[in-house]
Amino acid sequence: LKGVLPPGDSSGPVWTPLVVLELASDTAEEAVTWLLRRIRDTQHNGGADLLVEQLGLGVETQKKQNPNLFLVGASNQRLLAGAEDVGLFKEYSDGSMRGFTCASKHNFKDFNGDGDGFLSMAECQYIIKHELDTLRAKDETHVPGHSHAKLYPGKSIIRRLQSKGILIQMFPLHEKEELKRLSFSWFKKLKLSLQPLDDIRHYYGEGQALYFGFLEYFTFALVPMALIGVPYFLFDWEDYDKYVIFAAFNLIWSTVILELWKRCSASLAYRWGTLSRKKAFEEPRPGFHGVLGFNPVTGREEPTYPTAKRHLRVYLVSVPFVLLCLYLSLYVMMIYFQMEGWVLSIHDEEPTFWTGILLFIPSIIYAVVIEIMNLIYRYAAEFLTEWENHRLESSYQNHLVLKVLVFNFFNCFASLFYIAFVMQDMVLLRQSLATLLITSQILNQIMESFLPYWLQRRRNKKMIRKVQKRATLQDKELPLEEQVRLEADMSTYLGTFDDYLELFLLFGYVSLFSCVYPLAAVLVVLNNITEVYSDAFKMCHVFKRPFSEPAANIGVWQLAFEAMCVIAVVTNCSLIGMSPQVKAYFPESDTQLILWTVAIEHCLLAIKFILSFLIPDVPKQIQVKLARLEFESLEALKKKPSLRNGKKHFIRGRI
Amino acid sequence: LKGVLPPGDSSGPVWTPLVVLELASDTAEEAVTWLLRRIRDTQHNGGADLLVEQLGLGVETQKKQNPNLFLVGASNQRLLAGAEDVGLFKEYSDGSMRGFTCASKHNFKDFNGDGDGFLSMAECQYIIKHELDTLRAKDETHVPGHSHAKLYPGKSIIRRLQSKGILIQMFPLHEKEELKRLSFSWFKKLKLSLQPLDDIRHYYGEGQALYFGFLEYFTFALVPMALIGVPYFLFDWEDYDKYVIFAAFNLIWSTVILELWKRCSASLAYRWGTLSRKKAFEEPRPGFHGVLGFNPVTGREEPTYPTAKRHLRVYLVSVPFVLLCLYLSLYVMMIYFQMEGWVLSIHDEEPTFWTGILLFIPSIIYAVVIEIMNLIYRYAAEFLTEWENHRLESSYQNHLVLKVLVFNFFNCFASLFYIAFVMQDMVLLRQSLATLLITSQILNQIMESFLPYWLQRRRNKKMIRKVQKRATLQDKELPLEEQVRLEADMSTYLGTFDDYLELFLLFGYVSLFSCVYPLAAVLVVLNNITEVYSDAFKMCHVFKRPFSEPAANIGVWQLAFEAMCVIAVVTNCSLIGMSPQVKAYFPESDTQLILWTVAIEHCLLAIKFILSFLIPDVPKQIQVKLARLEFESLEALKKKPSLRNGKKHFIRGRI
């Protein structure tokens, strides 16, 4: 079953290539040979038992092109065994989701013949990635030809190659036909239907699909808020009685939608088989370093790094650094407000055309400075989180997300908080909120999809022109080799981080000051609708295909949204308490007003917590399905050793 | 291996009796025969395969005595198989905790020969209870001789007998020697050591041991508070600067101790094998009724009751009822305060000896009324929770606990809240707090242990006198039959509910108003020390032995204590904000003061949540052990089907 090149065609192997490995062009010849041998070797010999072929072998590569591109695939049998290895959940013949095993493969739905087409391409690619990641060194002390790339028994070879820069990238290939179909049903046709979440999951995996599911859910969830907000805007209701109702509705509503999303995401995750899937033991991330020791869980040799030392780094360096940055950002904001006041005073003294223009200068400078600060901070946060030396990719990501989240939240909302609670200028607050929201939306859409698309297009055209010069124009389809090189040059999709961050900030605009600017929800709904299209577009046409990542929920972002909800209760209550209309109810004393505001705020917070406690996170029917699976596995375990549990026999017979 | 009576002695079977079944004296003869046959029958025939013997068979029972007492036991082999059935975790030879299986029994620590003494008596009794509970009807339509006790295939026989009153009680027997040893090391010797938690767990099971562990932990955790509180009391520090520090310390401290308790309880639960033990599928509770249908999880026939209907009952009847009771309690409190004011005015007009006595009357009436209300409410709560028709005992308990908790909290603290925040009389608050705390402690100790002990003692004496009349005095040891009858007459231990409730209320006295009465912690520490002794005493000498219940944590009480902690932040902050000394800092405006108080309160709450988020609930080394177990089981699962995973072999060899 080894990959054999078809005699006439030099564009690729006969098996379906799934994943591309790109090694540095200066990789030693012996290292390449060794790596290929290890990948092809049987599992019994400690290999990965995969198929691998150099791209365009036999064809002379152009001078500038890297010859070290390798296509990786696997036999059907191997993929099924791998599916069992990674603990894939698939739909069973009775409609429940069960862990796939080769022994019981014929009991799974859609398993026909030798199981061709049973696994989606994304699943196959995920399996190959897992098998490559767990390809471990045997008795090699270093990568042949690269003595600085040390190895020790049990070390993941791919991780070492990555950390030493020998492996430049590893990415899964696009599937052109399916992509065309997906992009048509997703965003190319005009439609009034939901996104094809199952197809998205089929092509991109659960993590991506959950993001798009959340985006869609979030948009629909905001519609009631938007609808209620419109009359406030149209009829200019300045009546704070009504604002109180609007704000209270918003606060309860946002709690409810976040709780319901958990149920929604549990349903999706169950359908996609990630809800009860056990996480495989996570390998240390490529950048992790430390003294060689033994992992207490696996018993494997691997670098160890004391947790106490990491805690020290986090609490004594990272936390103070973040606080310092927040202080700096506060300082910059104060300068901005001073400049603004100064410019306003100049304009008020003798207003001319030039002072009119001058009025915009501080805002522009502030916006530019904030962007620059965000950029620098992002690099600093990445550097710091790297330096904290987290063992797992997931904990690295969590620390990075938290750092970036706090700073972005602060940068976005500090000026609004200042206007609201220090200057207490509601008109200015509404203006600033509207300006910030609209400009940030427009900028985001441009920066996020049109710019990368335009860059990508230019690059692609150059590439295709080059290809066309060389190849004859007889086949319209791009040959595999060019296709691979084209994809290798595409930008890498960096995960859903920035997409979630954007949604999070938008949610902040809607919820934090909702009682001041009820139109925010409408704007966010409109933005989200275009966001679906632009995100879908960039996933399909701008980026390399990402590896699918199994996800059962949106993780740390659920927490972030819930925290935002809690902050929103505090801000909205204080805004309403500060409004002149409400103050008019308590003419004799401010004290009464504040006490009432605080009491109501505490009640709302209590209601939020009770609500989130009362609404179960997993829908009843899925709880039953999970319980049923667990019950059956327990019963099976009991029955296994002998027939002594005859008692249970007649009961089981009734099921 | 059937239980055979020794020829000469009529006091009991040769096998160790573990559990006693008491059937009603008017049970039909054929029902008894049928039940014994079903219990003795092999598992293959759907029986429980246990040993069972009537108590005092062959001896003429006295007229008044119930002849239908049965002793249940089991062979060693049967108990080991049962241990696997219930999923018992025992210590493995490598020191980790693993699920016991008969196949791997020799790899467990302390397993010698045929495993005699491997299981503790409490474990054996738990296993027998489980086996009896899961003894199911086959094709019987009703209990023979009792046509109203309907049966259907799969129905638990014991549950039906209980719900129809045919089975009066089922309880495990005490083990006199071990009890003597335990009570000596626990409370009979004067000592400065910790409680023998492992021995308590060995004799009473994990639920009990966790309660005593929590009691001890809680006492030690309060010591720092008590130590800091003493100088405040001794030197009469009325300086609120210092009170602020004391209160802030208390609030942070109580968060920390609750978080650390989670880690502590996880360690204990791991050591006792309940942390990762899967909960067996829970049978419906005896009182549960509904239309016969199929359980969606097990597929067994059992009564079903729509969740929506239960929700309606809970939200439309129970919740309004509880609110009404709270309102009533509030109303009674207001009457009390009116009476108090009225009496005070009489005394102030012309103080005589009689008006001096009259001053105490309102408090006494109020205390009596509260006790009566508590009693009535408790019955009402039990009735309502029964009526809500919960399927599981655990959910019944949770709903009952919640109802009783809220009402007791309200009754205990409403008057204090009224004094603190409506009357704003700090001196009266301190007096009331001290009075309430001290009287409730004394009353509790009397009601809880001395009274039942005294009653028990009287009953025992009567019994023993009766026995001595009949039996010759030659053997000092009480014969088994009398022992069993003695234990059957002892009060039934109703679980840890009231004990936890008492601790919860004490925690409230310490934390809610700590900045007003710093001595509270000292009193509670003293109370807890005597509580350990009195609780231990009543466990050993007053009550029937309870069945051990596997518990991994203190369940809903953890939540209740944490909620109390949050309320404490609010009350303490407001108390400090209201104090004249703090008010003196803000002479110009109350508004500033309140805003500061609220800000500090929010900060404290935020710190609490961040702390509880940062402190991991399970200690690192136990996380590692659990992860290791999971990793090994995953690896084993992968290796099972064939040798194709040769890749992993050389790695496993390194462990």
Side-chain angles (χ1 to χ4, degrees):
Chain A
L1 254 161
K2 279 277 165 73
V4 185
L5 289 181
D9 185 12
S10 60
S11 64
V14 286
W15 39 269
T16 321
L18 292 166
V19 172
V20 176
L21 291 178
E22 182 175 1
L23 300 184
S25 50
D26 61 349
T27 312
E29 193 73 37
E30 53 206 294
V32 174
T33 325
W34 165 78
L35 180 64
L36 295 190
R37 188 171 49 75
R38 289 302 312 275
I39 292 178
R40 284 189 189 129
D41 215 349
T42 61
Q43 292 193 296
H44 195 76
N45 290 334
D49 198 9
L50 300 175
L51 309 171
V52 59
E53 221 44 76
Q54 188 158 11
L55 185 74
L57 201 66
V59 185
E60 268 179 62
T61 50
Q62 286 179 288
K63 269 171 205 162
K64 275 187 190 167
Q65 284 179 339
N66 181 1
N68 284 334
L69 278 165
F70 297 90
L71 300 174
V72 185
S75 70
N76 215 3
Q77 221 55 27
R78 179 69 190 91
L79 286 173
L80 290 177
E84 190 179 337
D85 263 16
V86 300
L88 217 60
F89 268 61
K90 299 289 280 180
E91 193 174 354
Y92 208 63
S93 49
D94 65 354
S96 66
M97 302 298 301
R98 294 178 189 226
F100 177 78
T101 58
C102 289
S104 64
K105 59 187 176 187
H106 291 293
N107 294 331
F108 282 84
K109 212 181 146 188
D110 303 326
F111 193 97
N112 305 314
D114 61 348
D116 213 15
F118 177 66
L119 300 171
S120 73
M121 187 162 168
E123 281 166 344
C124 295
Q125 289 166 335
Y126 175 75
I127 290 165
I128 288 194
K129 176 170 186 284
H130 175 262
E131 296 298 334
L132 286 176
D133 271 346
T134 53
L135 178 63
R136 297 176 190 290
K138 287 193 288 192
D139 39 14
E140 299 95 336
T141 54
H142 57 84
V143 175
H146 295 265
S147 54
H148 64 288
K150 294 265 181 300
L151 288 173
Y152 42 86
K155 170 73 189 174
S156 160
I157 291 173
I158 293 290
R159 294 282 165 125
R160 172 57 82 230
L161 292 177
Q162 272 175 320
S163 68
K164 289 296 171 190
I166 299 171
L167 177 64
I168 296 174
Q169 59 178 346
M170 168 162 86
F171 63 92
L173 279 172
H174 269 299
E175 198 180 1
K176 283 167 97 184
E177 272 311 303
E178 207 186 325
L179 186 62
K180 207 180 262 174
R181 241 179 298 132
L182 174 67
S183 58
F184 182 75
S185 71
W186 198 359
F187 61 90
K188 285 216 172 138
K189 67 170 180 201
L190 274 174
K191 42 118 203 199
L192 277 169
S193 61
L194 301 179
Q195 296 174 82
L197 285 185
D198 286 322
D199 295 341
I200 297 170
R201 177 242 166 185
H202 193 258
Y203 194 81
Y204 287 110
E206 292 80 18
Q208 279 305 316
L210 269 180
Y211 164 69
F212 282 103
F214 181 67
L215 178 57
E216 186 172 281
Y217 174 87
F218 184 54
T219 310
F220 279 107
L222 286 182
V223 166
M225 279 191 194
L227 288 183
I228 295 178
V230 167
Y232 280 87
F233 180 75
L234 288 183
F235 306 126
D236 215 13
W237 286 345
E238 287 288 330
D239 195 348
Y240 270 76
D241 288 10
K242 300 205 183 76
Y243 268 13
V244 171
I245 297 170
F246 182 64
F249 169 77
N250 266 8
L251 296 174
I252 303 292
W253 182 244
S254 37
T255 308
V256 170
I257 59 174
L258 285 179
E259 283 303 311
L260 291 184
W261 164 249
K262 276 192 218 155
R263 295 165 66 87
C264 208
S265 111
S267 300
L268 288 176
Y270 178 79
R271 200 165 79 212
W272 296 338
T274 49
L275 189 61
S276 45
R277 177 167 168 190
K278 289 256 163 49
K279 254 194 171 173
F281 185 78
E282 228 179 315
E283 293 287 316
R285 52 190 302 270
F288 178 66
H289 56 86
V291 183
L292 214 60
F294 288 93
N295 183 306
V297 175
T298 59
R300 281 183 203 135
E301 215 173 358
E302 69 171 43
T304 56
Y305 189 77
T307 321
K309 225 163 151 183
R310 185 178 307 125
H311 279 318
L312 281 183
R313 288 185 172 187
V314 170
Y315 293 116
L316 294 187
V317 179
S318 296
V319 172
F321 174 78
V322 171
L323 292 179
L324 189 77
C325 285
L326 294 183
Y327 178 76
L328 220 89
S329 152
L330 204 69
Y331 199 77
V332 168
M333 189 191 76
M334 296 310 297
I335 293 175
Y336 158 66
F337 279 112
Q338 273 184 356
M339 265 168 61
E340 184 98 4
W342 179 64
V343 166
L344 211 67
S345 71
I346 290 179
H347 182 70
D348 282 352
E349 259 173 42
E350 35 178 324
T352 66
F353 170 73
W354 293 108
T355 57
I357 287 186
L358 199 64
L359 277 181
F360 289 98
I361 301 291
S363 299
I364 294 173
I365 294 180
Y366 185 53
V368 170
V369 169
I370 277 197
E371 274 307 307
I372 295 173
M373 275 166 60
N374 268 344
L375 216 68
I376 297 175
Y377 180 82
R378 183 70 170 265
Y379 279 110
E382 273 170 23
F383 174 79
L384 267 182
T385 318
E386 184 74 49
W387 178 71
E388 282 162 20
N389 199 16
H390 294 277
R391 191 180 159 273
L392 300 180
E393 186 64 33
S394 57
S395 100
Y396 171 86
Q397 284 296 339
N398 283 346
H399 276 83
L400 183 62
V401 165
L402 199 67
K403 284 194 189 76
V404 175
L405 196 85
V406 169
F407 191 72
N408 271 275
F409 177 84
F410 205 80
N411 262 347
C412 262
F413 298 114
S415 64
L416 295 178
F417 273 88
Y418 186 81
I419 295 171
F421 299 112
V422 182
M423 296 167 71
Q424 308 209 350
D425 184 341
M426 291 304 128
V427 179
L428 184 58
L429 177 60
R430 190 173 307 174
Q431 279 175 9
S432 311
L433 189 60
T435 319
L436 265 175
L437 187 55
I438 295 170
T439 50
S440 81
Q441 284 181 6
I442 294 174
L443 273 178
N444 256 324
Q445 298 281 358
I446 293 175
M447 293 285 284
E448 236 184 56
S449 43
F450 296 113
L451 196 68
Y453 175 64
W454 181 73
L455 287 174
Q456 185 64 39
R457 220 185 148 91
R458 261 190 32 180
R459 222 187 300 165
N460 279 8
K461 274 199 182 140
K462 224 190 272 172
M463 187 77 170
I464 289 172
R465 224 174 293 132
K466 232 191 280 174
V467 172
Q468 283 172 343
K469 247 187 250 163
R470 208 151 43 89
T472 49
L473 268 161
Q474 59 196 27
D475 49 355
K476 272 191 179 175
E477 283 269 312
L478 219 52
L480 179 68
E481 186 185 341
E482 301 307 329
Q483 175 66 25
V484 170
R485 290 200 186 276
L486 216 67
E487 287 189 25
D489 272 353
M490 283 168 109
S491 330
T492 304
Y493 180 65
L494 293 169
T496 46
F497 181 97
D498 287 294
D499 298 322
Y500 277 118
L501 184 62
E502 196 188 331
L503 281 189
F504 173 73
L505 295 177
L506 288 179
F507 183 61
Y509 286 120
V510 175
S511 58
L512 287 182
F513 305 99
S514 62
C515 63
V516 172
Y517 189 53
L519 208 61
V522 180
L523 290 178
V524 171
V525 167
L526 290 179
N527 174 75
N528 280 3
I529 294 173
T530 59
E531 181 85 17
V532 168
Y533 285 90
S534 68
D535 278 355
F537 178 79
K538 82 183 175 185
M539 282 308 299
C540 293
H541 292 294
V542 178
F543 290 120
K544 274 191 201 88
R545 184 177 190 169
F547 278 109
S548 82
E549 33 174 335
N553 50 52
I554 61 172
V556 70
W557 292 104
Q558 180 80 36
L559 207 72
F561 275 81
E562 280 169 15
M564 180 73 95
C565 243
V566 172
I567 298 173
V569 171
V570 180
T571 54
N572 278 298
C573 284
S574 1
L575 279 180
I576 289 175
M578 272 163 36
S579 70
Q581 287 88 339
V582 173
K583 270 185 182 156
Y585 279 101
F586 299 89
E588 68 280 6
S589 82
D590 268 3
T591 317
Q592 281 294 316
L593 167 66
I594 298 178
L595 287 180
W596 270 105
T597 312
V598 172
I600 290 174
E601 185 227 341
H602 279 74
C603 286
L604 280 173
L605 284 177
I607 291 175
K608 276 181 69 68
F609 280 104
I610 292 172
L611 264 183
S612 65
F613 188 78
L614 283 184
I615 302 176
D617 287 356
V618 178
K620 181 89 181 176
Q621 76 262 34
I622 295 196
Q623 277 177 24
V624 167
K625 281 181 184 167
L626 292 178
R628 189 188 171 99
L629 209 66
E630 189 157 348
F631 173 77
E632 282 178 18
S633 74
L634 274 179
E635 290 287 294
L637 215 69
K638 279 187 204 166
K639 251 199 293 190
K640 201 183 51 186
S642 69
L643 270 172
R644 62 177 177 72
N645 285 318
K647 184 177 85 187
K648 267 133 209 155
H649 268 245
F650 71 96
I651 295 160
R652 298 273 306 160
R654 297 191 57 86
I655 297 176
Chain B
L1 255 161
K2 279 278 165 73
V4 184
L5 290 181
D9 185 14
S10 61
S11 65
V14 286
W15 39 268
T16 321
L18 291 167
V19 171
V20 176
L21 291 178
E22 182 175 1
L23 299 184
S25 50
D26 59 350
T27 311
E29 194 72 37
E30 53 206 294
V32 174
T33 326
W34 165 79
L35 180 64
L36 296 191
R37 188 172 48 75
R38 289 301 312 275
I39 293 178
R40 285 187 188 129
D41 215 349
T42 61
Q43 291 193 298
H44 194 74
N45 289 334
D49 198 9
L50 299 174
L51 309 171
V52 59
E53 220 45 75
Q54 189 159 10
L55 185 73
L57 200 67
V59 184
E60 267 180 62
T61 51
Q62 287 180 287
K63 270 169 203 163
K64 275 185 188 168
Q65 283 180 341
N66 181 1
N68 285 333
L69 279 167
F70 298 90
L71 299 174
V72 185
S75 71
N76 215 2
Q77 222 54 30
R78 178 70 190 91
L79 286 173
L80 290 177
E84 190 178 336
D85 263 16
V86 300
L88 218 59
F89 268 62
K90 300 289 277 180
E91 193 174 353
Y92 208 63
S93 49
D94 66 352
S96 67
M97 302 298 300
R98 294 177 189 227
F100 177 78
T101 60
C102 289
S104 63
K105 59 187 176 188
H106 291 291
N107 295 330
F108 283 84
K109 211 181 146 189
D110 303 327
F111 193 98
N112 304 315
D114 60 348
D116 213 15
F118 177 66
L119 299 171
S120 74
M121 187 162 168
E123 280 165 346
C124 294
Q125 290 166 334
Y126 175 76
I127 290 165
I128 288 193
K129 176 169 186 284
H130 176 261
E131 296 299 332
L132 286 175
D133 271 346
T134 53
L135 177 64
R136 298 177 190 290
K138 287 194 287 191
D139 37 14
E140 299 96 337
T141 56
H142 57 85
V143 176
H146 295 264
S147 54
H148 64 289
K150 295 264 181 299
L151 287 174
Y152 41 85
K155 170 73 188 173
S156 159
I157 291 173
I158 293 291
R159 294 282 165 125
R160 172 56 83 232
L161 293 177
Q162 271 175 320
S163 69
K164 290 294 172 191
I166 300 171
L167 177 64
I168 296 174
Q169 61 178 346
M170 168 162 86
F171 64 91
L173 279 172
H174 268 299
E175 198 180 1
K176 283 167 98 186
E177 272 312 302
E178 205 185 325
L179 185 63
K180 208 180 260 172
R181 240 177 299 132
L182 174 67
S183 57
F184 181 74
S185 71
W186 198 358
F187 60 90
K188 284 214 173 141
K189 67 167 181 203
L190 275 174
K191 42 117 205 199
L192 277 170
S193 60
L194 300 179
Q195 296 175 82
L197 284 185
D198 287 322
D199 295 342
I200 298 170
R201 178 243 166 184
H202 193 258
Y203 194 81
Y204 286 110
E206 292 81 18
Q208 280 304 318
L210 268 181
Y211 163 70
F212 283 101
F214 181 66
L215 178 57
E216 187 173 281
Y217 173 86
F218 184 52
T219 310
F220 279 106
L222 286 182
V223 166
M225 280 190 193
L227 288 183
I228 296 178
V230 168
Y232 280 89
F233 180 75
L234 287 184
F235 306 124
D236 216 13
W237 287 347
E238 288 286 330
D239 195 348
Y240 271 76
D241 288 9
K242 300 206 183 74
Y243 268 16
V244 171
I245 296 171
F246 182 63
F249 168 78
N250 267 8
L251 296 174
I252 303 292
W253 182 243
S254 38
T255 309
V256 170
I257 60 174
L258 285 179
E259 284 302 311
L260 291 185
W261 164 251
K262 278 192 217 154
R263 294 165 66 86
C264 208
S265 113
S267 299
L268 288 176
Y270 179 80
R271 199 166 78 212
W272 297 337
T274 50
L275 189 61
S276 46
R277 178 168 167 187
K278 289 258 162 46
K279 255 196 170 170
F281 185 78
E282 228 178 319
E283 294 287 314
R285 53 191 302 269
F288 179 66
H289 56 85
V291 182
L292 215 59
F294 288 93
N295 182 306
V297 175
T298 60
R300 282 181 203 136
E301 216 173 357
E302 69 171 42
T304 56
Y305 189 77
T307 322
K309 226 163 151 183
R310 186 177 306 126
H311 279 318
L312 281 183
R313 288 184 173 188
V314 170
Y315 292 116
L316 294 187
V317 179
S318 295
V319 172
F321 173 80
V322 171
L323 292 178
L324 189 77
C325 285
L326 294 184
Y327 177 76
L328 220 89
S329 153
L330 205 67
Y331 198 78
V332 168
M333 188 191 77
M334 295 312 296
I335 292 176
Y336 158 66
F337 279 112
Q338 273 184 355
M339 264 166 64
E340 183 98 6
W342 180 62
V343 165
L344 212 68
S345 71
I346 289 179
H347 182 71
D348 282 352
E349 257 173 41
E350 35 179 323
T352 67
F353 171 71
W354 293 107
T355 57
I357 287 184
L358 199 64
L359 277 180
F360 289 97
I361 301 290
S363 300
I364 293 172
I365 294 179
Y366 184 53
V368 170
V369 168
I370 276 196
E371 273 308 306
I372 295 172
M373 275 167 56
N374 267 345
L375 215 67
I376 297 175
Y377 180 82
R378 183 69 170 264
Y379 279 109
E382 272 170 23
F383 173 79
L384 268 183
T385 318
E386 184 74 48
W387 178 69
E388 282 162 19
N389 199 15
H390 294 277
R391 190 179 160 274
L392 301 181
E393 185 64 34
S394 56
S395 102
Y396 170 86
Q397 285 297 338
N398 283 345
H399 276 83
L400 183 62
V401 165
L402 199 66
K403 283 195 190 74
V404 175
L405 197 84
V406 169
F407 191 71
N408 271 275
F409 177 84
F410 205 79
N411 263 347
C412 262
F413 298 114
S415 63
L416 295 177
F417 273 88
Y418 186 81
I419 294 171
F421 299 113
V422 182
M423 295 167 72
Q424 307 208 349
D425 185 341
M426 290 304 129
V427 179
L428 184 59
L429 177 61
R430 190 174 308 175
Q431 279 174 9
S432 312
L433 188 60
T435 319
L436 265 174
L437 187 54
I438 294 169
T439 51
S440 80
Q441 283 181 7
I442 294 173
L443 274 178
N444 256 323
Q445 298 281 358
I446 292 175
M447 294 284 285
E448 234 184 57
S449 43
F450 296 113
L451 197 68
Y453 175 64
W454 181 73
L455 288 174
Q456 184 63 40
R457 218 185 150 91
R458 261 189 34 177
R459 222 188 298 163
N460 279 10
K461 275 200 183 141
K462 224 189 272 172
M463 186 77 168
I464 289 173
R465 226 174 291 134
K466 232 191 277 171
V467 172
Q468 283 172 341
K469 249 186 248 164
R470 207 155 43 87
T472 49
L473 270 160
Q474 60 194 27
D475 47 357
K476 272 190 178 175
E477 282 269 310
L478 218 52
L480 178 67
E481 187 185 343
E482 301 307 330
Q483 175 65 27
V484 169
R485 288 199 188 278
L486 216 69
E487 287 190 24
D489 272 353
M490 283 169 108
S491 329
T492 304
Y493 181 65
L494 293 169
T496 45
F497 181 95
D498 286 293
D499 297 323
Y500 276 118
L501 183 63
E502 196 189 330
L503 280 188
F504 173 73
L505 295 177
L506 288 179
F507 183 62
Y509 287 120
V510 175
S511 59
L512 287 182
F513 305 99
S514 62
C515 63
V516 172
Y517 188 53
L519 208 62
V522 180
L523 289 177
V524 172
V525 167
L526 290 179
N527 175 76
N528 279 3
I529 293 173
T530 60
E531 182 84 17
V532 168
Y533 285 90
S534 69
D535 279 355
F537 179 80
K538 79 182 177 185
M539 283 308 299
C540 292
H541 292 295
V542 177
F543 290 121
K544 275 191 201 91
R545 184 176 189 169
F547 277 110
S548 82
E549 32 174 333
N553 50 52
I554 61 172
V556 69
W557 292 103
Q558 181 80 36
L559 206 71
F561 275 80
E562 280 169 15
M564 180 72 95
C565 242
V566 171
I567 299 173
V569 171
V570 180
T571 53
N572 278 298
C573 284
S574 1
L575 279 180
I576 289 175
M578 272 162 36
S579 70
Q581 287 86 340
V582 173
K583 271 185 183 158
Y585 279 102
F586 299 90
E588 69 281 5
S589 82
D590 268 3
T591 317
Q592 281 294 316
L593 166 66
I594 298 178
L595 287 181
W596 270 104
T597 312
V598 172
I600 290 174
E601 186 227 343
H602 280 74
C603 286
L604 279 173
L605 284 177
I607 291 176
K608 276 181 70 67
F609 279 104
I610 293 173
L611 264 183
S612 64
F613 189 78
L614 283 184
I615 302 177
D617 287 356
V618 178
K620 180 88 181 180
Q621 77 262 34
I622 294 197
Q623 277 178 23
V624 167
K625 280 180 185 169
L626 292 178
R628 190 189 169 98
L629 210 65
E630 189 157 346
F631 174 77
E632 281 178 19
S633 76
L634 275 180
E635 290 288 292
L637 215 69
K638 278 188 207 164
K639 251 201 291 192
K640 203 181 51 188
S642 68
L643 270 172
R644 64 178 174 70
N645 284 317
K647 182 176 85 186
K648 267 134 208 151
H649 268 244
F650 72 97
I651 294 159
R652 298 273 303 160
R654 297 191 56 86
I655 296 177

